[in-house]
C-alpha cells in the first residue's frame, strides 16, 4: 500500500497541481491586493511566494520525468 503513495512517477499530478497553484498566486495577489488597497510593493512580495514556490516544484517535476516508469 505504501508503495502506491510514495511512487513519484504515478503521483506527478501532485507536483503539477502545486505548480498550477503557484502560478495562480500571482494574479490573485495582484487583483485581491488592489481590491484591499494593499501597496504595490507588498503585492510584489506576495507574488514572490508563487515564484519561489514554483522553482523547487519545477526542479522536482524535471527529476520525476527522468525516472523510469515501473509498473
Amino acid at each position: 500500500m505504501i508503495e502506491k503513495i510514495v511512487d513519484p512517477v504515478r503521483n506527478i499530478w501532485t507536483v503539477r497541481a502545486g505548480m498550477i497553484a503557484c502560478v495562480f498566486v500571482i494574479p490573485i495577489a495582484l487583483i485581491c491586493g488592489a481590491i484591499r488597497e494593499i501597496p504595490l510593493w507588498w503585492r510584489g512580495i506576495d507574488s514572490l511566494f508563487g515564484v519561489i514556490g514554483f522553482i523547487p516544484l519545477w526542479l522536482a517535476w524535471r527529476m520525476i520525468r527522468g525516472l523510469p516508469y515501473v509498473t
Side-chain angles (χ1 to χ4, degrees):
M1 175 67 181
I2 195 74
E3 292 89 20
K4 291 182 181 180
I5 297 171
V6 177
D7 186 13
V9 176
R10 290 177 127 183
N11 297 318
I12 195 168
W13 63 271
T14 57
V15 176
R16 288 182 187 151
M19 290 169 61
I20 291 168
C22 286
V23 168
F24 281 124
V25 164
I26 297 168
I28 289 174
L30 295 175
I31 293 168
C32 294
I35 292 170
R36 294 183 62 204
E37 298 177 358
I38 295 174
L40 186 59
W41 62 272
W42 193 261
R43 285 183 259 168
I45 292 171
D46 289 342
S47 297
L48 279 176
F49 283 106
V51 174
I52 292 171
F54 186 86
I55 294 169
L57 287 171
W58 178 70
L59 292 172
W61 179 72
R62 282 187 53 208
M63 286 188 259
I64 291 171
R65 274 192 356 197
L67 293 175
Y69 184 73
V70 179
T71 57

